[in-house]
Amino acid sequence: MKKYIILTILFIAQFVKGQTTIDSVQKIWTLEACINYALENNISVKQAELSKNITEASYLATKSLRLPNLSGNASQNFTNGNSIDPITSDFVSQQINSTSLGLNSQLTLFQGNQINNQIKQGKLLIDQYTLYEEEAKNNITLSITESYIQLLYAKENILIAENNLEVSQKEEERAKARLDAGSIAIKEYTDAQSQTATNRYLLINTKNDYALQLLSLKQQLELPPNTNFEIADADEIILDIVPDLNEVYSEALENLPEINAGKINVSLSEKDLDIAKGGYLPTLSLTGSLGSGYTSTQDFNFTDQMDLNFNQRLGLSLNVPIFNRNKTKSEVQTAKINIDMAKLELAQGEKDLYRKIETAWQNAITSQSEMEAADIARNAAKESFRLAQKQYELGALSTTDLILSQNTYTNTEQNYIQAKYLSLLYHQLLQFYQGNDIKL
């Protein structure tokens, strides 16, 4: 029996260990997975969604202005002395115990067309806040894309730093062997040591940069700090031809929610003007009420009086504005000014958009040309470093010259990957402005 208990415990322990291992495996996140997760969990996106929900609730309240209201009232009064009976309206001089019950309703038939304009304005607000929600999603998409590409750059930079450290360690070993053989001075050996230490320091820095970029991306995704997280390796980057600037701008004007929201803002201001002008027109309302009551001045009991005193009222109420201390006039003038301001804000938004697109377009062309030039320089520096290593092995090159050759090659490598990922970023930006999905 004891043997079976021990075997069971061992089995459970192995199972738990296996589960822990499975749970601790890092999930590899692609850019698409990061974007989809952020769209569902990012705080800014959720706040934009809640703001839209508020406008929908306000729209429902505005539509209900077309409906009649209904209120009930009840009162119990005790009067002593000379007074008017609240039920019979007779003047009496005695104690009165009275009860009043009633229902009242009012329906606005016409209010300068203000209700219709308020409802149309409420619908426009829903459309506008829907666009604001899309804008929030676009902003987090761009932010995630930028952080992800920066991570790819930092990740490749680590590979370069690791390779440089490995090469410098081998060079240090060769220098030590040549020093022991008496073929070089100790300065050349210490130069090799210094280069190894420098490359180790650079590797630590590149790993730290990667960790910080990774933390930034996790925070944008609203992931807990202890979440196991790693991004996918980048496939071979094939860049498309940079599209025409005016074509990108034209498509962006049609697709971007912030521009369409600006256009709706002009329409909202125009509805404000229509609502304000409605203040010059009369208001017509339909009113009605039901009521009954009981008074102690009558000889009938409570039930009979409630039946006898039951009354109904139906009427029309017309309110014609004559002078309201220029309140309506001021509201109309303010609404006209707001229309002009909304048009200026739209024009400024279109201007800012063109500046962003032209900047991204120019940077895309520049970085792509830089990448092509950096690739040529990298290949040339790589070949030069290879030849320098051969010369160093034959004793025809000093350690200092070898280090200079290695540093030159490293710089060209870093210039190339920097231009490559900048070019990738700006190409993705142009794709985004054209309304296309961002994909690596």
Side-chain angles (χ1 to χ4, degrees):
M1 184 66 181
K2 184 176 180 181
K3 179 180 178 181
Y4 288 118
I5 293 174
I6 294 174
L7 289 174
T8 302
I9 294 173
L10 289 174
F11 174 77
I12 293 174
Q14 288 296 322
F15 177 78
V16 172
K17 181 179 178 181
Q19 286 297 108
T20 303
T21 303
I22 292 173
D23 293 339
S24 62
V25 172
Q26 288 184 336
K27 178 181 177 180
I28 304 300
W29 292 70
T30 62
L31 175 59
E32 185 178 3
C34 289
I35 292 175
N36 292 336
Y37 187 89
L39 293 179
E40 294 180 1
N41 297 278
N42 184 263
I43 291 177
S44 297
V45 174
K46 289 183 177 181
Q47 288 174 331
E49 182 180 0
L50 291 175
S51 296
K52 185 190 72 173
N53 293 341
I54 291 174
T55 60
E56 290 174 346
S58 299
Y59 177 63
L60 178 61
T62 304
K63 287 200 302 182
S64 299
L65 293 175
R66 286 174 171 168
L67 303 176
N69 64 0
L70 180 63
S71 62
N73 60 79
S75 64
Q76 179 70 38
N77 299 293
F78 179 78
T79 308
N80 186 37
N82 296 326
S83 61
I84 297 177
D85 192 312
I87 305 301
T88 64
S89 298
D90 294 333
F91 184 81
V92 295
S93 179
Q94 67 182 75
Q95 291 183 346
I96 303 174
N97 182 22
S98 63
T99 302
S100 297
L101 300 174
L103 288 174
N104 298 282
S105 180
Q106 180 175 331
L107 174 63
T108 302
L109 301 177
F110 181 76
Q111 192 180 351
N113 211 30
Q114 287 180 324
I115 294 177
N116 288 336
N117 285 322
Q118 287 173 349
I119 292 173
K120 292 176 182 177
Q121 189 181 58
K123 182 63 174 63
L124 287 172
L125 276 172
I126 292 178
D127 295 339
Q128 186 181 50
Y129 274 83
T130 300
L131 292 170
Y132 286 156
E133 183 182 5
E134 291 181 20
E135 183 182 3
K137 291 180 178 179
N138 285 346
N139 289 340
I140 192 61
T141 298
L142 288 178
S143 182
I144 293 293
T145 301
E146 183 177 354
S147 295
Y148 198 93
I149 291 177
Q150 287 176 344
L151 266 175
L152 289 174
Y153 168 72
K155 194 172 185 179
E156 191 163 343
N157 218 12
I158 290 176
L159 296 177
I160 294 174
E162 288 175 340
N163 182 65
N164 285 339
L165 178 59
E166 182 180 355
V167 170
S168 61
Q169 286 174 335
K170 292 180 179 178
E171 291 170 355
E172 182 183 349
E173 291 174 1
R174 293 192 189 99
K176 181 64 169 64
R178 294 175 67 184
L179 176 66
D180 293 341
S183 57
I184 62 172
I186 191 170
K187 182 182 181 302
E188 292 199 41
Y189 172 65
T190 55
D191 285 344
Q193 278 186 315
S194 177
Q195 181 66 14
T196 300
T198 299
N199 287 340
R200 184 176 289 110
Y201 173 82
L202 293 175
L203 176 59
I204 293 172
N205 275 349
T206 54
K207 287 184 176 180
N208 183 59
D209 289 340
Y210 179 80
L212 292 176
Q213 292 289 346
L214 199 64
L215 175 61
S216 175
L217 180 57
K218 287 167 65 175
Q219 289 177 336
Q220 292 178 66
L221 294 172
E222 309 297 343
L223 290 173
N226 58 346
T227 303
N228 290 319
F229 185 88
E230 186 58 63
I231 64 170
D233 292 329
D235 296 329
E236 183 181 358
I237 297 175
I238 301 176
L239 299 175
D240 298 327
I241 298 175
V242 178
D244 179 71
L245 173 60
N246 293 325
E247 181 181 343
V248 175
Y249 178 62
S250 177
E251 292 175 341
L253 287 177
E254 296 180 3
N255 298 321
L256 289 185
E258 54 264 40
I259 300 300
N260 291 325
K263 295 176 182 177
I264 290 180
N265 198 42
V266 175
S267 299
L268 285 170
S269 299
E270 292 172 345
K271 284 300 171 189
D272 275 332
L273 177 60
D274 294 337
I275 293 170
K277 287 181 177 179
Y280 288 126
L281 301 176
T283 299
L284 180 64
S285 302
L286 176 67
T287 60
S289 66
L290 300 174
S292 186
Y294 164 83
T295 177
S296 61
T297 61
Q298 293 185 327
D299 295 333
F300 300 102
N301 60 32
F302 183 86
T303 303
D304 291 339
Q305 285 195 45
M306 294 300 292
D307 183 43
L308 291 171
N309 295 327
F310 180 66
N311 61 85
Q312 311 89 40
R313 182 179 62 83
L314 186 66
L316 288 174
S317 174
L318 180 66
N319 181 19
V320 180
I322 298 175
F323 180 70
N324 60 357
R325 297 183 293 273
N326 289 324
K327 179 176 181 293
T328 302
K329 182 179 180 181
S330 175
E331 290 175 348
V332 169
Q333 290 177 342
T334 301
K336 289 180 178 179
I337 294 172
N338 286 335
I339 290 174
D340 293 336
M341 290 182 63
K343 290 179 178 179
L344 290 175
E345 289 174 0
L346 176 60
Q348 183 64 49
E350 292 175 347
K351 178 182 176 182
D352 292 340
L353 175 63
Y354 184 82
R355 176 180 53 80
K356 292 178 182 178
I357 292 176
E358 185 173 12
T359 301
W361 181 83
Q362 189 63 51
N363 287 336
I365 292 178
T366 302
S367 58
Q368 187 165 337
S369 299
E370 288 176 345
M371 185 179 73
E372 293 171 356
D375 187 36
I376 296 173
R378 177 186 63 157
N379 292 331
K382 182 179 180 180
E383 180 63 19
S384 295
F385 180 54
R386 187 185 68 81
L387 294 174
Q389 286 177 310
K390 293 291 185 182
Q391 290 177 316
Y392 182 74
E393 291 173 1
L394 297 173
L397 191 70
S398 68
T399 304
T400 301
D401 290 335
L402 178 64
I403 292 173
L404 288 174
S405 179
Q406 182 185 15
N407 289 339
T408 300
Y409 173 52
T410 300
N411 290 335
T412 56
E413 281 274 12
Q414 290 174 335
N415 290 339
Y416 172 75
I417 65 169
Q418 183 179 30
K420 178 176 71 173
Y421 286 111
L422 281 176
S423 185
L424 175 63
L425 174 61
Y426 292 124
H427 273 75
Q428 292 300 323
L429 280 176
L430 293 177
Q431 289 292 316
F432 166 79
Y433 287 130
Q434 289 181 286
N436 300 324
D437 293 334
I438 294 179
K439 294 181 180 180
L440 294 183

